[in-house]
mmCIF file of all heavy atoms in Angstrom:
data_model
loop_
_atom_site.group_PDB
_atom_site.id
_atom_site.type_symbol
_atom_site.label_atom_id
_atom_site.label_comp_id
_atom_site.label_asym_id
_atom_site.label_seq_id
_atom_site.Cartn_x
_atom_site.Cartn_y
_atom_site.Cartn_z
ATOM 1 N N ALA H 166 18.574 -4.943 62.598
ATOM 2 C CA ALA H 166 19.304 -3.950 61.804
ATOM 3 C C ALA H 166 20.789 -3.879 62.165
ATOM 4 O O ALA H 166 21.625 -3.609 61.315
ATOM 5 C CB ALA H 166 18.687 -2.569 61.939
ATOM 6 N N ASN H 167 21.107 -4.206 63.432
ATOM 7 C CA ASN H 167 22.506 -4.195 63.866
ATOM 8 C C ASN H 167 23.290 -5.385 63.360
ATOM 9 O O ASN H 167 24.521 -5.436 63.483
ATOM 10 C CB ASN H 167 22.572 -4.142 65.411
ATOM 11 C CG ASN H 167 22.091 -2.814 65.926
ATOM 12 O OD1 ASN H 167 22.031 -1.848 65.202
ATOM 13 N ND2 ASN H 167 21.755 -2.800 67.195
ATOM 14 N N ALA H 168 22.607 -6.395 62.792
ATOM 15 C CA ALA H 168 23.263 -7.552 62.243
ATOM 16 C C ALA H 168 23.784 -7.317 60.849
ATOM 17 O O ALA H 168 24.676 -8.050 60.392
ATOM 18 C CB ALA H 168 22.306 -8.740 62.211
ATOM 19 N N VAL H 169 23.307 -6.300 60.169
ATOM 20 C CA VAL H 169 23.712 -6.035 58.792
ATOM 21 C C VAL H 169 25.201 -5.645 58.647
ATOM 22 O O VAL H 169 25.905 -6.243 57.830
ATOM 23 C CB VAL H 169 22.785 -5.015 58.092
ATOM 24 C CG1 VAL H 169 23.270 -4.616 56.712
ATOM 25 C CG2 VAL H 169 21.372 -5.542 58.001
ATOM 26 N N PRO H 170 25.711 -4.679 59.422
ATOM 27 C CA PRO H 170 27.118 -4.311 59.245
ATOM 28 C C PRO H 170 28.121 -5.454 59.447
ATOM 29 O O PRO H 170 28.987 -5.640 58.593
ATOM 30 C CB PRO H 170 27.321 -3.189 60.256
ATOM 31 C CG PRO H 170 25.980 -2.595 60.469
ATOM 32 C CD PRO H 170 25.030 -3.781 60.369
ATOM 33 N N PRO H 171 27.981 -6.267 60.537
ATOM 34 C CA PRO H 171 28.979 -7.379 60.623
ATOM 35 C C PRO H 171 28.800 -8.424 59.534
ATOM 36 O O PRO H 171 29.761 -9.004 59.044
ATOM 37 C CB PRO H 171 28.783 -7.960 62.023
ATOM 38 C CG PRO H 171 27.484 -7.410 62.492
ATOM 39 C CD PRO H 171 27.203 -6.190 61.735
ATOM 40 N N ALA H 172 27.555 -8.650 59.114
ATOM 41 C CA ALA H 172 27.338 -9.634 58.050
ATOM 42 C C ALA H 172 27.878 -9.116 56.735
ATOM 43 O O ALA H 172 28.446 -9.895 55.941
ATOM 44 C CB ALA H 172 25.845 -9.947 57.914
ATOM 45 N N ARG H 173 27.743 -7.817 56.495
ATOM 46 C CA ARG H 173 28.316 -7.221 55.282
ATOM 47 C C ARG H 173 29.822 -7.339 55.291
ATOM 48 O O ARG H 173 30.448 -7.661 54.300
ATOM 49 C CB ARG H 173 27.877 -5.754 55.162
ATOM 50 C CG ARG H 173 28.437 -5.092 53.878
ATOM 51 C CD ARG H 173 28.017 -3.654 53.721
ATOM 52 N NE ARG H 173 28.483 -2.880 54.819
ATOM 53 C CZ ARG H 173 27.690 -2.124 55.623
ATOM 54 N NH1 ARG H 173 26.391 -2.048 55.368
ATOM 55 N NH2 ARG H 173 28.205 -1.447 56.592
ATOM 56 N N LYS H 174 30.435 -7.072 56.452
ATOM 57 C CA LYS H 174 31.882 -7.165 56.582
ATOM 58 C C LYS H 174 32.349 -8.613 56.336
ATOM 59 O O LYS H 174 33.359 -8.834 55.665
ATOM 60 C CB LYS H 174 32.332 -6.681 57.958
ATOM 61 C CG LYS H 174 33.820 -6.673 58.185
ATOM 62 C CD LYS H 174 34.496 -5.641 57.313
ATOM 63 C CE LYS H 174 35.955 -5.580 57.649
ATOM 64 N NZ LYS H 174 36.792 -5.156 56.555
ATOM 65 N N LEU H 175 31.601 -9.571 56.869
ATOM 66 C CA LEU H 175 31.914 -10.944 56.639
ATOM 67 C C LEU H 175 31.906 -11.309 55.154
ATOM 68 O O LEU H 175 32.847 -11.942 54.643
ATOM 69 C CB LEU H 175 30.873 -11.857 57.361
ATOM 70 C CG LEU H 175 30.976 -13.340 57.132
ATOM 71 C CD1 LEU H 175 32.267 -13.901 57.742
ATOM 72 C CD2 LEU H 175 29.769 -14.043 57.732
ATOM 73 N N PHE H 176 30.903 -10.830 54.408
ATOM 74 C CA PHE H 176 30.820 -11.068 52.991
ATOM 75 C C PHE H 176 31.902 -10.332 52.213
ATOM 76 O O PHE H 176 32.474 -10.863 51.253
ATOM 77 C CB PHE H 176 29.415 -10.736 52.469
ATOM 78 C CG PHE H 176 29.275 -10.951 51.000
ATOM 79 C CD1 PHE H 176 29.415 -12.229 50.439
ATOM 80 C CD2 PHE H 176 29.043 -9.867 50.131
ATOM 81 C CE1 PHE H 176 29.315 -12.441 49.070
ATOM 82 C CE2 PHE H 176 28.936 -10.094 48.766
ATOM 83 C CZ PHE H 176 29.081 -11.364 48.243
ATOM 84 N N GLU H 177 32.163 -9.072 52.598
ATOM 85 C CA GLU H 177 33.218 -8.303 51.900
ATOM 86 C C GLU H 177 34.580 -8.950 52.044
ATOM 87 O O GLU H 177 35.380 -8.898 51.109
ATOM 88 C CB GLU H 177 33.234 -6.869 52.413
ATOM 89 C CG GLU H 177 32.061 -6.020 52.010
ATOM 90 C CD GLU H 177 32.027 -4.673 52.680
ATOM 91 O OE1 GLU H 177 32.820 -4.424 53.627
ATOM 92 O OE2 GLU H 177 31.184 -3.840 52.301
ATOM 93 N N ASP H 178 34.880 -9.537 53.176
ATOM 94 C CA ASP H 178 36.145 -10.214 53.393
ATOM 95 C C ASP H 178 36.199 -11.622 52.830
ATOM 96 O O ASP H 178 37.259 -12.204 52.763
ATOM 97 C CB ASP H 178 36.511 -10.227 54.865
ATOM 98 C CG ASP H 178 37.047 -8.849 55.319
ATOM 99 O OD1 ASP H 178 36.991 -7.870 54.583
ATOM 100 O OD2 ASP H 178 37.548 -8.800 56.458
ATOM 101 N N ASN H 179 35.047 -12.182 52.481
ATOM 102 C CA ASN H 179 34.971 -13.534 51.940
ATOM 103 C C ASN H 179 34.021 -13.495 50.704
ATOM 104 O O ASN H 179 32.957 -14.115 50.719
ATOM 105 C CB ASN H 179 34.417 -14.525 52.979
ATOM 106 C CG ASN H 179 35.304 -14.561 54.177
ATOM 107 O OD1 ASN H 179 36.391 -15.074 54.134
ATOM 108 N ND2 ASN H 179 34.838 -13.982 55.294
ATOM 109 N N PRO H 180 34.380 -12.749 49.646
ATOM 110 C CA PRO H 180 33.397 -12.535 48.569
ATOM 111 C C PRO H 180 33.124 -13.759 47.731
ATOM 112 O O PRO H 180 32.179 -13.766 46.936
ATOM 113 C CB PRO H 180 34.075 -11.451 47.706
ATOM 114 C CG PRO H 180 35.541 -11.644 47.991
ATOM 115 C CD PRO H 180 35.631 -12.082 49.414
ATOM 116 N N HIS H 181 33.861 -14.830 47.856
ATOM 117 C CA HIS H 181 33.651 -16.063 47.094
ATOM 118 C C HIS H 181 32.958 -17.135 47.903
ATOM 119 O O HIS H 181 32.772 -18.263 47.426
ATOM 120 C CB HIS H 181 34.924 -16.572 46.482
ATOM 121 C CG HIS H 181 35.616 -15.549 45.580
ATOM 122 N ND1 HIS H 181 35.047 -15.061 44.460
ATOM 123 C CD2 HIS H 181 36.824 -14.926 45.716
ATOM 124 C CE1 HIS H 181 35.842 -14.179 43.918
ATOM 125 N NE2 HIS H 181 36.943 -14.072 44.650
ATOM 126 N N SER H 182 32.630 -16.848 49.148
ATOM 127 C CA SER H 182 32.023 -17.826 50.030
ATOM 128 C C SER H 182 30.512 -17.717 50.024
ATOM 129 O O SER H 182 29.945 -16.672 50.314
ATOM 130 C CB SER H 182 32.523 -17.610 51.452
ATOM 131 O OG SER H 182 31.769 -18.371 52.359
ATOM 132 N N ILE H 183 29.869 -18.823 49.610
ATOM 133 C CA ILE H 183 28.392 -18.817 49.623
ATOM 134 C C ILE H 183 27.881 -18.720 51.058
ATOM 135 O O ILE H 183 26.866 -18.086 51.292
ATOM 136 C CB ILE H 183 27.853 -20.089 48.908
ATOM 137 C CG1 ILE H 183 28.264 -20.020 47.408
ATOM 138 C CG2 ILE H 183 26.353 -20.206 49.042
ATOM 139 C CD1 ILE H 183 27.891 -21.221 46.634
ATOM 140 N N SER H 184 28.579 -19.297 51.983
ATOM 141 C CA SER H 184 28.158 -19.247 53.391
ATOM 142 C C SER H 184 28.149 -17.753 53.863
ATOM 143 O O SER H 184 27.182 -17.362 54.535
ATOM 144 C CB SER H 184 29.115 -20.045 54.257
ATOM 145 O OG SER H 184 28.784 -19.904 55.634
ATOM 146 N N ALA H 185 29.174 -17.003 53.527
ATOM 147 C CA ALA H 185 29.184 -15.583 53.914
ATOM 148 C C ALA H 185 28.058 -14.831 53.221
ATOM 149 O O ALA H 185 27.427 -13.957 53.829
ATOM 150 C CB ALA H 185 30.537 -14.972 53.526
ATOM 151 N N LEU H 186 27.766 -15.146 51.982
ATOM 152 C CA LEU H 186 26.657 -14.537 51.269
ATOM 153 C C LEU H 186 25.347 -14.864 51.921
ATOM 154 O O LEU H 186 24.471 -13.988 52.062
ATOM 155 C CB LEU H 186 26.671 -14.984 49.808
ATOM 156 C CG LEU H 186 25.459 -14.518 48.977
ATOM 157 C CD1 LEU H 186 25.436 -12.984 48.878
ATOM 158 C CD2 LEU H 186 25.512 -15.153 47.602
ATOM 159 N N GLU H 187 25.204 -16.079 52.396
ATOM 160 C CA GLU H 187 23.963 -16.455 53.101
ATOM 161 C C GLU H 187 23.783 -15.667 54.411
ATOM 162 O O GLU H 187 22.679 -15.247 54.711
ATOM 163 C CB GLU H 187 23.961 -17.959 53.411
ATOM 164 C CG GLU H 187 23.727 -18.817 52.213
ATOM 165 C CD GLU H 187 23.767 -20.303 52.487
ATOM 166 O OE1 GLU H 187 24.212 -20.700 53.586
ATOM 167 O OE2 GLU H 187 23.354 -21.076 51.630
ATOM 168 N N TRP H 188 24.884 -15.457 55.162
ATOM 169 C CA TRP H 188 24.795 -14.683 56.348
ATOM 170 C C TRP H 188 24.312 -13.238 56.023
ATOM 171 O O TRP H 188 23.468 -12.699 56.688
ATOM 172 C CB TRP H 188 26.165 -14.582 57.063
ATOM 173 C CG TRP H 188 26.407 -15.783 57.974
ATOM 174 C CD1 TRP H 188 26.910 -16.982 57.592
ATOM 175 C CD2 TRP H 188 26.180 -15.845 59.347
ATOM 176 N NE1 TRP H 188 27.013 -17.793 58.673
ATOM 177 C CE2 TRP H 188 26.578 -17.118 59.780
ATOM 178 C CE3 TRP H 188 25.683 -14.926 60.287
ATOM 179 C CZ2 TRP H 188 26.451 -17.528 61.121
ATOM 180 C CZ3 TRP H 188 25.594 -15.318 61.597
ATOM 181 C CH2 TRP H 188 26.001 -16.604 61.992
ATOM 182 N N TYR H 189 24.918 -12.677 55.000
ATOM 183 C CA TYR H 189 24.558 -11.302 54.593
ATOM 184 C C TYR H 189 23.119 -11.239 54.074
ATOM 185 O O TYR H 189 22.367 -10.348 54.434
ATOM 186 C CB TYR H 189 25.546 -10.822 53.531
ATOM 187 C CG TYR H 189 25.436 -9.344 53.171
ATOM 188 C CD1 TYR H 189 25.027 -8.417 54.115
ATOM 189 C CD2 TYR H 189 25.807 -8.904 51.924
ATOM 190 C CE1 TYR H 189 24.934 -7.049 53.794
ATOM 191 C CE2 TYR H 189 25.723 -7.590 51.583
ATOM 192 C CZ TYR H 189 25.312 -6.668 52.510
ATOM 193 O OH TYR H 189 25.235 -5.325 52.167
ATOM 194 N N SER H 190 22.727 -12.227 53.267
ATOM 195 C CA SER H 190 21.389 -12.206 52.732
ATOM 196 C C SER H 190 20.335 -12.360 53.854
ATOM 197 O O SER H 190 19.292 -11.695 53.789
ATOM 198 C CB SER H 190 21.186 -13.272 51.661
ATOM 199 O OG SER H 190 21.283 -14.561 52.221
ATOM 200 N N GLN H 191 20.622 -13.188 54.839
ATOM 201 C CA GLN H 191 19.655 -13.356 55.953
ATOM 202 C C GLN H 191 19.506 -12.054 56.716
ATOM 203 O O GLN H 191 18.403 -11.686 57.124
ATOM 204 C CB GLN H 191 20.099 -14.510 56.873
ATOM 205 C CG GLN H 191 19.866 -15.859 56.272
ATOM 206 C CD GLN H 191 18.436 -16.092 55.890
ATOM 207 O OE1 GLN H 191 17.521 -15.823 56.701
ATOM 208 N NE2 GLN H 191 18.205 -16.617 54.700
ATOM 209 N N ALA H 192 20.641 -11.354 56.915
ATOM 210 C CA ALA H 192 20.549 -10.058 57.640
ATOM 211 C C ALA H 192 19.720 -9.063 56.821
ATOM 212 O O ALA H 192 18.891 -8.331 57.401
ATOM 213 C CB ALA H 192 21.964 -9.534 57.878
ATOM 214 N N LEU H 193 19.926 -9.045 55.553
ATOM 215 C CA LEU H 193 19.138 -8.128 54.688
ATOM 216 C C LEU H 193 17.676 -8.458 54.659
ATOM 217 O O LEU H 193 16.791 -7.587 54.758
ATOM 218 C CB LEU H 193 19.690 -8.110 53.256
ATOM 219 C CG LEU H 193 21.086 -7.499 53.100
ATOM 220 C CD1 LEU H 193 21.592 -7.673 51.646
ATOM 221 C CD2 LEU H 193 21.099 -6.025 53.486
ATOM 222 N N LEU H 194 17.339 -9.736 54.591
ATOM 223 C CA LEU H 194 15.949 -10.167 54.564
ATOM 224 C C LEU H 194 15.245 -9.894 55.891
ATOM 225 O O LEU H 194 14.058 -9.582 55.908
ATOM 226 C CB LEU H 194 15.855 -11.623 54.161
ATOM 227 C CG LEU H 194 16.233 -11.944 52.727
ATOM 228 C CD1 LEU H 194 16.234 -13.423 52.464
ATOM 229 C CD2 LEU H 194 15.320 -11.213 51.750
ATOM 230 N N ARG H 195 16.001 -10.022 56.982
ATOM 231 C CA ARG H 195 15.365 -9.741 58.304
ATOM 232 C C ARG H 195 15.089 -8.250 58.489
ATOM 233 O O ARG H 195 14.308 -7.901 59.373
ATOM 234 C CB ARG H 195 16.274 -10.265 59.413
ATOM 235 C CG ARG H 195 16.257 -11.779 59.463
ATOM 236 C CD ARG H 195 17.133 -12.285 60.582
ATOM 237 N NE ARG H 195 17.208 -13.746 60.538
ATOM 238 C CZ ARG H 195 17.588 -14.483 61.535
ATOM 239 N NH1 ARG H 195 17.980 -13.955 62.646
ATOM 240 N NH2 ARG H 195 17.666 -15.801 61.394
ATOM 241 N N THR H 196 15.711 -7.429 57.714
ATOM 242 C CA THR H 196 15.474 -5.981 57.757
ATOM 243 C C THR H 196 14.599 -5.521 56.562
ATOM 244 O O THR H 196 14.515 -4.351 56.286
ATOM 245 C CB THR H 196 16.768 -5.171 57.799
ATOM 246 O OG1 THR H 196 17.543 -5.488 56.652
ATOM 247 C CG2 THR H 196 17.541 -5.468 59.049
ATOM 248 N N ASN H 197 14.039 -6.471 55.857
ATOM 249 C CA ASN H 197 13.160 -6.214 54.712
ATOM 250 C C ASN H 197 13.851 -5.439 53.620
ATOM 251 O O ASN H 197 13.257 -4.521 53.024
ATOM 252 C CB ASN H 197 11.867 -5.490 55.150
ATOM 253 C CG ASN H 197 10.963 -6.366 55.983
ATOM 254 O OD1 ASN H 197 10.898 -7.569 55.732
ATOM 255 N ND2 ASN H 197 10.331 -5.779 56.962
ATOM 256 N N ASP H 198 15.112 -5.743 53.322
ATOM 257 C CA ASP H 198 15.862 -5.066 52.292
ATOM 258 C C ASP H 198 16.103 -5.974 51.103
ATOM 259 O O ASP H 198 17.233 -6.260 50.717
ATOM 260 C CB ASP H 198 17.199 -4.549 52.859
ATOM 261 C CG ASP H 198 17.747 -3.387 52.043
ATOM 262 O OD1 ASP H 198 17.223 -3.137 50.954
ATOM 263 O OD2 ASP H 198 18.688 -2.744 52.533
ATOM 264 N N ARG H 199 15.017 -6.474 50.532
ATOM 265 C CA ARG H 199 15.061 -7.417 49.412
ATOM 266 C C ARG H 199 15.732 -6.784 48.174
ATOM 267 O O ARG H 199 16.433 -7.440 47.423
ATOM 268 C CB ARG H 199 13.700 -7.928 49.085
ATOM 269 C CG ARG H 199 13.673 -8.929 47.965
ATOM 270 C CD ARG H 199 12.293 -9.437 47.691
ATOM 271 N NE ARG H 199 12.362 -10.368 46.585
ATOM 272 C CZ ARG H 199 11.316 -11.018 46.141
ATOM 273 N NH1 ARG H 199 10.139 -10.833 46.671
ATOM 274 N NH2 ARG H 199 11.413 -11.841 45.106
ATOM 275 N N ASN H 200 15.478 -5.492 47.957
ATOM 276 C CA ASN H 200 16.036 -4.822 46.801
ATOM 277 C C ASN H 200 17.551 -4.779 46.819
ATOM 278 O O ASN H 200 18.196 -4.939 45.790
ATOM 279 C CB ASN H 200 15.444 -3.420 46.630
ATOM 280 C CG ASN H 200 14.007 -3.446 46.238
ATOM 281 O OD1 ASN H 200 13.562 -4.377 45.617
ATOM 282 N ND2 ASN H 200 13.224 -2.433 46.660
ATOM 283 N N ARG H 201 18.114 -4.529 48.005
ATOM 284 C CA ARG H 201 19.582 -4.535 48.091
ATOM 285 C C ARG H 201 20.124 -5.935 47.819
ATOM 286 O O ARG H 201 21.131 -6.094 47.141
ATOM 287 C CB ARG H 201 20.039 -4.072 49.476
ATOM 288 C CG ARG H 201 21.569 -3.900 49.506
ATOM 289 C CD ARG H 201 22.191 -3.806 50.859
ATOM 290 N NE ARG H 201 21.917 -2.602 51.582
ATOM 291 C CZ ARG H 201 22.401 -2.398 52.813
ATOM 292 N NH1 ARG H 201 23.149 -3.282 53.427
ATOM 293 N NH2 ARG H 201 22.108 -1.303 53.472
ATOM 294 N N LEU H 202 19.437 -6.962 48.321
ATOM 295 C CA LEU H 202 19.881 -8.323 48.046
ATOM 296 C C LEU H 202 19.811 -8.612 46.538
ATOM 297 O O LEU H 202 20.734 -9.214 45.992
ATOM 298 C CB LEU H 202 18.991 -9.313 48.811
ATOM 299 C CG LEU H 202 19.291 -10.774 48.589
ATOM 300 C CD1 LEU H 202 20.726 -11.121 48.977
ATOM 301 C CD2 LEU H 202 18.298 -11.651 49.338
ATOM 302 N N LYS H 203 18.786 -8.177 45.900
ATOM 303 C CA LYS H 203 18.682 -8.355 44.457
ATOM 304 C C LYS H 203 19.825 -7.690 43.699
ATOM 305 O O LYS H 203 20.363 -8.251 42.759
ATOM 306 C CB LYS H 203 17.325 -7.804 43.915
ATOM 307 C CG LYS H 203 16.156 -8.679 44.295
ATOM 308 C CD LYS H 203 14.888 -7.981 43.842
ATOM 309 C CE LYS H 203 14.026 -8.892 43.025
ATOM 310 N NZ LYS H 203 12.811 -8.238 42.570
ATOM 311 N N ARG H 204 20.164 -6.478 44.119
ATOM 312 C CA ARG H 204 21.295 -5.779 43.480
ATOM 313 C C ARG H 204 22.602 -6.507 43.709
ATOM 314 O O ARG H 204 23.437 -6.608 42.791
ATOM 315 C CB ARG H 204 21.419 -4.354 44.011
ATOM 316 C CG ARG H 204 20.333 -3.440 43.512
ATOM 317 C CD ARG H 204 20.605 -1.966 43.843
ATOM 318 N NE ARG H 204 20.889 -1.720 45.230
ATOM 319 C CZ ARG H 204 19.977 -1.386 46.185
ATOM 320 N NH1 ARG H 204 18.725 -1.274 45.838
ATOM 321 N NH2 ARG H 204 20.356 -1.192 47.429
ATOM 322 N N ILE H 205 22.831 -7.025 44.890
ATOM 323 C CA ILE H 205 24.060 -7.757 45.191
ATOM 324 C C ILE H 205 24.155 -9.050 44.369
ATOM 325 O O ILE H 205 25.174 -9.314 43.755
ATOM 326 C CB ILE H 205 24.132 -8.084 46.703
ATOM 327 C CG1 ILE H 205 24.338 -6.797 47.501
ATOM 328 C CG2 ILE H 205 25.226 -9.085 47.006
ATOM 329 C CD1 ILE H 205 24.102 -6.957 49.001
ATOM 330 N N VAL H 206 23.068 -9.789 44.310
ATOM 331 C CA VAL H 206 23.043 -11.024 43.570
ATOM 332 C C VAL H 206 23.212 -10.749 42.066
ATOM 333 O O VAL H 206 23.898 -11.505 41.379
ATOM 334 C CB VAL H 206 21.758 -11.815 43.862
ATOM 335 C CG1 VAL H 206 21.570 -12.996 42.925
ATOM 336 C CG2 VAL H 206 21.794 -12.310 45.303
ATOM 337 N N ALA H 207 22.625 -9.714 41.579
ATOM 338 C CA ALA H 207 22.721 -9.377 40.148
ATOM 339 C C ALA H 207 24.182 -9.102 39.736
ATOM 340 O O ALA H 207 24.553 -9.377 38.597
ATOM 341 C CB ALA H 207 21.860 -8.194 39.810
ATOM 342 N N LYS H 208 24.973 -8.547 40.670
ATOM 343 C CA LYS H 208 26.374 -8.214 40.361
ATOM 344 C C LYS H 208 27.339 -9.382 40.527
ATOM 345 O O LYS H 208 28.483 -9.283 40.133
ATOM 346 C CB LYS H 208 26.819 -7.059 41.247
ATOM 347 C CG LYS H 208 26.133 -5.761 40.963
ATOM 348 C CD LYS H 208 26.603 -4.667 41.899
ATOM 349 C CE LYS H 208 25.837 -3.372 41.719
ATOM 350 N NZ LYS H 208 26.260 -2.372 42.661
ATOM 351 N N LEU H 209 26.906 -10.459 41.166
ATOM 352 C CA LEU H 209 27.819 -11.585 41.471
ATOM 353 C C LEU H 209 28.167 -12.356 40.214
ATOM 354 O O LEU H 209 27.375 -12.524 39.313
ATOM 355 C CB LEU H 209 27.162 -12.512 42.460
ATOM 356 C CG LEU H 209 27.090 -12.082 43.921
ATOM 357 C CD1 LEU H 209 26.346 -13.109 44.722
ATOM 358 C CD2 LEU H 209 28.475 -11.918 44.485
ATOM 359 N N ASP H 210 29.389 -12.874 40.222
ATOM 360 C CA ASP H 210 29.848 -13.835 39.229
ATOM 361 C C ASP H 210 29.737 -15.187 39.867
ATOM 362 O O ASP H 210 30.352 -15.469 40.903
ATOM 363 C CB ASP H 210 31.289 -13.520 38.809
ATOM 364 C CG ASP H 210 31.812 -14.436 37.733
ATOM 365 O OD1 ASP H 210 30.999 -15.214 37.160
ATOM 366 O OD2 ASP H 210 33.031 -14.418 37.495
ATOM 367 N N ASP H 211 28.976 -16.067 39.258
ATOM 368 C CA ASP H 211 28.688 -17.399 39.834
ATOM 369 C C ASP H 211 29.892 -18.343 39.863
ATOM 370 O O ASP H 211 29.989 -19.176 40.723
ATOM 371 C CB ASP H 211 27.545 -18.056 39.121
ATOM 372 C CG ASP H 211 26.250 -17.230 39.125
ATOM 373 O OD1 ASP H 211 26.084 -16.460 40.043
ATOM 374 O OD2 ASP H 211 25.473 -17.416 38.184
#
């Protein structure tokens, strides 16, 4: 759970980086927060 805030900050500062998104998504999945990941992905512009 402590990995989510720095991973979120990484993605917020690099919103066009797929690598940063992967770091954030892995943190969310390790905390069983699939719904938040779905919301984030739904809002992304590919």
Side-chain angles (χ1 to χ4, degrees):
N167 291 342
V169 175
R173 181 180 59 236
K174 183 67 175 153
L175 175 67
F176 178 62
E177 288 172 351
D178 281 9
N179 302 288
H181 302 299
S182 169
I183 295 175
S184 176
L186 174 62
E187 287 178 347
W188 275 84
Y189 190 29
S190 67
Q191 287 302 313
L193 293 173
L194 291 175
R195 289 180 186 198
T196 58
N197 292 325
D198 204 348
R199 181 179 179 178
N200 290 331
R201 188 196 289 179
L202 178 60
K203 287 175 129 180
R204 287 191 307 268
I205 290 166
V206 169
K208 292 178 185 177
L209 284 176
D210 181 11
D211 302 333

